[in-house]
C-alpha cells in the first residue's frame, strides 16, 4: 500500500531532495529526447562541504568531440543543451530557494560551450540559450513531464542512484498510469516524502 510520510527534513536531506529533482530533470529530458543513458544512470552523492553533488553519469558520451556543424549536428547539440538545462529548471520548479548561485552559472556555461560551436557570435548566445530553456520548461510543465520527474526524484531520494534501466522503467510506469503515489510538491513549500513508489 502506498503511503506518504510528511515530516520536516534536515538540511542535508533537503539538499539531497533538491539534488534528486535536479538529476530527475536531466534524466527525464534525456529519455524524452531519445538520448540513451549509460548503464550507470544518475546519482546524488554527498560532498564533504555538506552539499549534494549534482552529478550526472554521462547520458551523452563525449558530445563535444562528436559534434559537427551540419544540420544533424545542430539538432544533436540542441538536445544536449536541453538535457543540460533540464536539471536547474526542474529544481527551480520544485523549490526555487534550493538553488545556489553556482548552479545556474555552471549550467549556463555548459550550454554556451555547446551552442558556441554553432553560433559563436556573442549576440546569438543568450537568445539561443533562452529559446532552448523555454523548450525545456514546456516539456516539464506538461502533465506527463512533471509526473515523471516527481517519480524519478522520489526514487533517487530513496535509493541515491538509479541505473539507466531503472530510469526507463520508472518513466514507463509513470507514463502508463501504474505509479499510484508520487512525490508531491505542495504550494506551501513543505516537503512530503514518498517512500513507496508503486502499488
Amino acid at each position: 500500500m502506498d503511503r506518504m510520510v510528511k515530516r520536516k527534513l534536515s538540511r542535508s536531506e533537503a539538499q539531497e531532495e533538491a539534488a534528486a529533482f535536479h538529476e530527475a530533470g536531466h534524466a527525464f529530458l534525456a529519455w524524452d529526447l531519445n538520448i540513451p543513458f549509460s548503464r550507470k544512470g544518475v546519482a546524488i552523492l554527498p560532498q564533504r562541504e555538506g552539499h549534494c553533488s549534482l552529478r550526472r553519469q554521462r547520458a551523452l558520451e563525449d558530445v563535444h568531440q562528436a559534434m559537427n556543424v551540419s544540420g544533424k549536428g545542430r539538432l544533436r547539440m540542441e538536445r544536449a543543451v536541453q538535457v543540460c538545462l533540464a536539471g536547474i529548471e526542474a529544481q527551480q520548479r520544485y523549490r526555487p530557494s534550493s538553488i545556489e548561485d553556482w548552479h545556474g552559472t555552471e549550467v549556463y556555461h555548459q550550454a554556451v560551450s555547446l551552442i558556441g560551436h554553432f553560433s559563436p557570435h556573442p549576440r546569438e548566445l543568450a537568445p539561443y540559450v533562452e529559446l532552448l530553456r523555454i523548450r525545456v520548461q514546456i516539456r516539464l510543465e506538461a502533465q506527463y513531464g512533471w509526473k515523471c520527474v516527481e517519480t524519478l526524484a522520489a526514487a533517487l531520494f530513496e535509493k541515491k542512484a538509479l541505473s539507466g534501466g531503472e530510469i526507463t522503467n520508472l518513466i514507463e510506469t509513470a507514463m502508463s498510469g501504474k505509479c499510484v503515489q508520487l512525490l508531491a510538491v505542495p504550494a506551501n513549500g513543505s516537503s512530503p516524502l514518498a517512500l513507496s513508489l508503486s502499488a
Side-chain angles (χ1 to χ4, degrees):
M1 182 175 178
D2 294 287
R3 54 200 176 108
M4 182 78 77
V5 178
K6 294 185 180 181
R7 63 186 177 87
K8 185 174 177 62
L9 299 181
S10 70
R11 180 175 174 80
S12 63
E13 286 175 324
Q15 289 169 340
E16 283 193 10
E17 191 175 67
F21 270 89
H22 187 111
E23 293 303 321
H26 289 310
F28 168 70
L29 253 288
W31 177 87
D32 202 34
L33 294 173
N34 297 312
I35 296 174
F37 296 102
S38 72
R39 286 178 299 171
K40 292 181 179 179
V42 295
I44 53 174
L45 303 173
Q47 292 180 327
R48 284 175 300 192
E49 296 83 5
H51 294 287
C52 206
S53 172
L54 306 177
R55 187 182 79 168
R56 258 170 316 163
Q57 298 180 344
R58 297 184 80 88
L60 295 171
E61 296 296 330
D62 301 321
V63 69
H64 280 91
Q65 294 178 13
M67 205 72 75
N68 61 64
V69 294
S70 68
K72 221 179 242 191
R74 180 181 290 272
L75 288 174
R76 185 176 180 194
M77 175 276 295
E78 289 184 353
R79 288 163 56 207
V81 169
Q82 287 177 76
V83 171
C84 182
L85 295 173
I88 199 70
E89 291 299 324
Q91 190 177 346
Q92 170 80 22
R93 182 175 170 83
Y94 156 66
R95 194 176 72 232
S97 63
S98 71
I99 297 173
E100 307 277 347
D101 289 342
W102 65 269
H103 289 156
T105 301
E106 181 184 35
V107 167
Y108 183 81
H109 286 309
Q110 289 173 343
V112 167
S113 175
L114 286 171
I115 290 174
H117 287 283
F118 296 85
S119 299
H121 196 287
R123 289 176 62 191
E124 289 184 285
L125 291 178
Y128 207 160
V129 172
E130 181 62 14
L131 170 64
L132 297 177
R133 189 176 73 86
I134 290 168
R135 289 180 184 173
V136 170
Q137 290 172 343
I138 289 169
R139 287 177 182 273
L140 293 180
E141 287 165 4
Q143 184 178 5
Y144 79 92
W146 194 242
K147 180 179 179 181
C148 290
V149 170
E150 288 177 322
T151 300
L152 292 174
L156 264 173
F157 186 90
E158 183 177 353
K159 297 181 67 177
K160 309 309 178 199
L162 296 172
S163 69
E166 288 174 319
I167 292 167
T168 299
N169 289 339
L170 283 165
I171 290 175
E172 288 176 352
T173 300
M175 294 287 283
S176 70
K178 293 176 185 173
C179 189
V180 178
Q181 186 64 69
L182 302 175
L183 182 64
V185 183
N188 64 9
S190 62
S191 184
L193 177 60
L195 295 181
S196 180
L197 295 175
S198 59

